[in-house]
Amino acid sequence: MYVFRQKARTIIIIILFMNFTLFVTVLLTAVTLVVAAYVIAKLIGPRSYNAVKGEPYESGIPTRGSSWLPMHVGYYLFAILFLMFDIETVLLYPWAVVVRDFGAMALVSIGFFLMVLVLGLAYAWRKGALEWK
């Protein structure tokens, strides 16, 4: 029995060492590839610079004033809401494919999912997140 435990421990140690070695190998490969890409880009990339390249460009019209204007938070909020409901649509498709296999539990779970999303939409609507001001 003792020999079996000793062999089992040895096998577990070997497996853990192999997993650690794989992790270190992947990590070193990733770092090497990133550094190599950066170095190659610096070596073969163009290096010309002039003052015109540093100016902001908007449809060929020179800007008046500062180009660093703050963006209205409504744009970001609208984009986040769009992504949220876009992901909802992506998550509804696999559910629709397997709904017959799972039966009533699938309907209850998707009903809860849709209820949470509708409440989120109602909250965003009530707060005025969908209105352009």
Side-chain angles (χ1 to χ4, degrees):
M1 187 70 172
Y2 176 75
V3 174
F4 177 73
R5 285 186 182 172
Q6 189 64 25
K7 286 183 181 181
R9 284 186 189 137
T10 306
I11 291 172
I12 290 173
I13 289 172
I14 290 171
I15 290 172
L16 289 176
F17 180 73
M18 288 173 58
N19 285 339
F20 180 73
T21 305
L22 178 65
F23 174 73
V24 170
T25 304
V26 168
L27 192 65
L28 287 176
T29 304
V31 169
T32 304
L33 288 175
V34 169
V35 169
Y38 183 75
V39 168
I40 290 171
K42 283 293 184 184
L43 289 176
I44 65 173
R47 290 186 192 91
S48 63
Y49 179 79
N50 57 27
V52 177
K53 286 186 177 181
E55 292 181 11
Y57 179 78
E58 296 177 9
S59 305
I61 302 170
T63 58
R64 289 187 296 222
S66 174
S67 295
W68 292 97
L69 299 174
M71 294 291 291
H72 191 269
V73 72
Y75 296 121
Y76 298 112
L77 187 59
F78 199 80
I80 288 172
L81 288 172
F82 172 77
L83 288 175
M84 182 177 74
F85 289 105
D86 194 41
I87 290 172
E88 168 199 357
T89 305
V90 169
L91 291 175
L92 281 176
Y93 181 74
W95 170 83
V97 171
V98 297
V99 68
R100 288 189 183 179
D101 297 337
F102 291 109
M105 191 60 192
L107 288 175
V108 170
S109 65
I110 204 65
F112 180 74
F113 179 71
L114 290 174
M115 182 185 70
V116 169
L117 287 171
V118 167
L119 289 175
L121 177 63
Y123 178 78
W125 198 336
R126 184 173 174 108
K127 289 293 186 178
L130 303 175
E131 297 175 7
W132 293 104
K133 295 178 184 178

